Amino acid sequence: MSLAVCALTFAVLFHIVAARIAARENFGRTLPTVNGSYPVRPARRARRAQTAGWILSIFGALQLGNYFWLTEPWLAMGIVVAVLLSVNGLPSLLVTVLHNGSLRTQP
């Protein structure tokens, strides 16, 4: 269980780093909130960080799901889906909203 939590923590950090790199490269431009392409293609570092984040999040989510699989399989599947959505989606969404919000406040 602690290995899963560590993997998920590093996955969130990798996703935040990747989103910050992409936001820095797109300075002064609006980023897509949910889906779409960035105005400037993200650097290879950002894509590597996202890939590492995805791999770690899948590993961590499956480890958490495995913990509950024998007693509550539906709960395990729900946990895996919820963890994957929150770990892979929320950090990028948060950085994008903060980036786009700072663009609106500038004159």
Side-chain angles (χ1 to χ4, degrees):
M1 183 76 113
S2 62
L3 186 61
V5 172
C6 288
L8 292 173
T9 303
F10 280 115
V12 168
L13 290 175
F14 278 128
H15 280 294
I16 290 173
V17 166
R20 289 194 51 152
I21 291 170
R24 192 176 316 122
E25 290 174 353
N26 289 290
F27 181 76
R29 297 177 183 94
T30 304
L31 298 177
T33 305
V34 178
N35 60 359
S37 61
Y38 288 104
V40 176
R41 186 175 175 198
R44 191 174 291 173
R45 296 179 316 192
R47 289 180 288 165
R48 286 181 187 156
Q50 285 176 340
T51 302
W54 270 98
I55 291 170
L56 285 172
S57 68
I58 291 170
F59 174 77
L62 290 177
Q63 289 296 318
L64 281 179
N66 189 33
Y67 185 75
F68 294 105
W69 182 253
L70 292 176
T71 57
E72 296 288 332
W74 288 105
L75 176 66
M77 286 187 278
I79 287 173
V80 168
V81 169
V83 166
L84 286 175
L85 286 175
S86 62
V87 168
N88 295 320
L90 287 180
S92 299
L93 182 65
L94 179 66
V95 171
T96 300
V97 167
L98 290 174
H99 174 79
N100 290 344
S102 67
L103 289 177
R104 289 189 201 121
T105 59
Q106 294 177 354

